[in-house]
Amino acid sequence: MAFKLDKSAMAFAEAKRYIPGGVNSPVRSFRGVGGTPPFIAKALGSRLYDIDGNEYIDYVGSWGPMILGHAHPEVTGELAEAINKGTSYGAPTLLETELARLVTEAFPSMELVRMVNSGTEATMSALRLARAYTKRNKIVKFAGCYHGHHDSLLVKAGSGATTLGVPDSPGVPDSIAGHTITVEYNDINALAAVFERYGEDIAAVIIEPVPGNMGLILPQPEYLAKVSSLTESYGTLLIFDEVMSGFRVAYGGAQELYGITPDLTCLGKVIGGGLPVGAYGGAKDIMELVAPAGPVYQAGTLSGNPLAMTAGIATLRLISEVPDFYEKIGAKTAALCAGIQAQAQAFGFSFQFHQVGSMFCTFFTDQPVYDYISAKRSDVAAFNIFFHAMLEQGVYLGPSQFEAAFMSDAHTGADIDATIAASGKAFAKVAEFYRKNKH
Ligand SMILES: *Cc1c(COP(=O)(O)O)cnc(C)c1O
């Protein structure tokens, strides 16, 4: 049966009448790869089902949260029980303490933790706190790292490595972007140069320790340790944005994996188990500046929402009940990546295969990728051919070369074999594309 998205195409047109671009978050619109985004009807385990009747093996997992797979029966069971007790109180619950305790046990650097509703809120609040604590204004971020959509972090590099940032979106004032300095990831000399020039004014360095928003990039050996010692020597706070990597690359996130202790950590995605949750935390003396313990204001009508806390607690408990959860999911992901790489090599492609635990990515370039500039050398046209060929065979990848993919505990050996086989056919189309267009 031919692959069709007729109903989704109609639904997309209808959605555009009421929603900007038809979606509530831009990447869902498939603008990067072209074509129609499937409208999803339901999800179960490793699978997504669209309104056209297509079934997909899902490697997006709602962009990271669904590490147990979709609609895990114990998570949905506990949610069903919770929903009958009311959906929001605006008053404290035992659930909030329970999730905070689980988070602080997993992340020893987080002695105190505040729940919010999204990763964006977590990084926004962590920056305010870092500025209040250090009484400084400047922030350093890394090109290609994404921390949410608030003004201070929607900033791109100015011209030259050590210049102040410029807004990455209309609506962000120059006066705010000018407090943000952007440097290339994995380039410790560039960061050191920024500290030499502005060090005494830098409140915080915010970093995705394992960047997953420009494709998946790995930190070079000792890079994170050097970042940490630079920040420490200037009295600057180091903020690990582990919204994606937390409870994903290891239970205790990248800071456990690489043995680094940041001052503040931002979480999201997995800790919400598929419901809207973010969190930020750190050492007690810093976190006690947050209201009402201290003067730094931050609040939320739905923060610590009982349904969101229930899904998060159930997810973390189920992960910790499986012995060697992260070893197993990492081995499964390695097997998938090795299989796809072998298919690529059969066509003579020497693309870049990156993997950390259950996150993975293929850059369509034969050059090493270690920062945003090198990631941008990827052949996006070739990726887009691959992407659509996979989609038509029932494999749902992130609709952009610059997204990581995510394995879940629900993916089976049969899912992985089917994905590898599909990749062979997809690479054949890429080879055909190169024959027609390049030579
Ligand atoms: C997804 C993500 C965010 C933003 O989280 P939202 O919940 O979408 O606001 C921030 N930082 C990183 C590293 C992310 O991957």
Short mmCIF file of all heavy atoms in Angstrom, two decimals, residues 118-120 146-148 208 213 241 243-244 269, ligand 1:
data_model
loop_
_atom_site.label_atom_id
_atom_site.label_comp_id
_atom_site.label_asym_id
_atom_site.label_seq_id
_atom_site.Cartn_x
_atom_site.Cartn_y
_atom_site.Cartn_z
N SER A 118 8.47 23.99 32.35
CA SER A 118 9.15 23.71 31.09
C SER A 118 10.65 23.90 31.27
O SER A 118 11.09 24.54 32.24
CB SER A 118 8.65 24.65 29.98
OG SER A 118 9.06 25.98 30.26
N GLY A 119 11.39 23.40 30.30
CA GLY A 119 12.84 23.61 30.30
C GLY A 119 13.18 25.08 30.15
O GLY A 119 14.14 25.58 30.74
N THR A 120 12.40 25.77 29.33
CA THR A 120 12.62 27.21 29.13
C THR A 120 12.54 27.96 30.45
O THR A 120 13.39 28.80 30.77
CB THR A 120 11.55 27.77 28.17
OG1 THR A 120 11.73 27.16 26.89
CG2 THR A 120 11.64 29.27 28.03
N TYR A 146 20.85 24.92 22.62
CA TYR A 146 19.51 25.49 22.79
C TYR A 146 19.11 25.36 24.25
O TYR A 146 19.29 24.31 24.86
CB TYR A 146 18.50 24.74 21.91
CG TYR A 146 17.07 25.24 22.07
CD1 TYR A 146 16.71 26.49 21.60
CD2 TYR A 146 16.11 24.45 22.71
CE1 TYR A 146 15.40 26.95 21.74
CE2 TYR A 146 14.81 24.90 22.85
CZ TYR A 146 14.45 26.15 22.37
OH TYR A 146 13.16 26.60 22.52
N HIS A 147 18.58 26.46 24.78
CA HIS A 147 18.20 26.44 26.20
C HIS A 147 16.78 26.93 26.40
O HIS A 147 16.41 27.32 27.50
CB HIS A 147 19.16 27.31 27.01
CG HIS A 147 20.60 26.95 26.84
ND1 HIS A 147 21.14 25.80 27.36
CD2 HIS A 147 21.60 27.56 26.17
CE1 HIS A 147 22.43 25.74 27.04
NE2 HIS A 147 22.73 26.79 26.32
N GLY A 148 15.97 26.92 25.33
CA GLY A 148 14.62 27.46 25.45
C GLY A 148 14.55 28.79 24.74
O GLY A 148 15.54 29.26 24.16
N GLU A 208 24.94 22.93 27.42
CA GLU A 208 24.43 21.57 27.29
C GLU A 208 25.67 20.69 27.36
O GLU A 208 26.46 20.68 26.42
CB GLU A 208 23.78 21.35 25.92
CG GLU A 208 22.38 21.87 25.73
CD GLU A 208 21.86 21.48 24.35
OE1 GLU A 208 21.38 20.35 24.19
OE2 GLU A 208 21.95 22.30 23.44
N ASN A 213 20.98 19.65 20.50
CA ASN A 213 20.08 20.51 19.73
C ASN A 213 20.73 21.06 18.47
O ASN A 213 20.21 21.98 17.84
CB ASN A 213 19.54 21.64 20.61
CG ASN A 213 18.49 21.14 21.60
OD1 ASN A 213 17.37 20.80 21.20
ND2 ASN A 213 18.83 21.05 22.87
N ASP A 241 22.76 22.72 31.55
CA ASP A 241 21.40 22.53 31.06
C ASP A 241 21.26 21.07 30.68
O ASP A 241 21.66 20.64 29.60
CB ASP A 241 21.14 23.45 29.86
CG ASP A 241 19.73 23.26 29.31
OD1 ASP A 241 19.02 22.34 29.79
OD2 ASP A 241 19.33 24.02 28.41
N VAL A 243 18.32 19.54 30.55
CA VAL A 243 16.91 19.32 30.23
C VAL A 243 16.77 18.07 29.33
O VAL A 243 15.87 17.26 29.51
CB VAL A 243 16.31 20.56 29.53
CG1 VAL A 243 14.93 20.26 28.96
CG2 VAL A 243 16.22 21.72 30.53
N MET A 244 17.72 17.90 28.40
CA MET A 244 17.69 16.73 27.52
C MET A 244 18.49 15.56 28.09
O MET A 244 18.06 14.42 28.06
CB MET A 244 18.22 17.10 26.14
CG MET A 244 18.09 16.01 25.10
SD MET A 244 18.75 16.52 23.49
CE MET A 244 17.39 17.50 22.85
N LYS A 269 11.99 17.48 30.35
CA LYS A 269 11.81 16.27 29.53
C LYS A 269 11.58 15.01 30.38
O LYS A 269 10.48 14.83 30.87
CB LYS A 269 12.94 16.16 28.51
CG LYS A 269 12.91 17.40 27.58
CD LYS A 269 13.68 17.32 26.31
CE LYS A 269 13.28 18.47 25.38
NZ LYS A 269 14.32 19.45 25.11
C1 LIG B 1 14.12 21.03 25.20
C2 LIG B 1 15.21 21.80 25.80
C3 LIG B 1 14.97 23.02 26.47
C4 LIG B 1 13.64 23.68 26.50
O1 LIG B 1 12.69 22.92 27.19
P1 LIG B 1 11.12 23.25 26.92
O2 LIG B 1 10.43 22.34 27.87
O3 LIG B 1 10.88 22.95 25.47
O4 LIG B 1 10.93 24.68 27.23
C5 LIG B 1 16.03 23.62 27.12
N1 LIG B 1 17.25 23.10 27.09
C6 LIG B 1 17.53 21.95 26.44
C7 LIG B 1 18.92 21.40 26.45
C8 LIG B 1 16.51 21.28 25.76
O5 LIG B 1 16.81 20.16 25.08
#
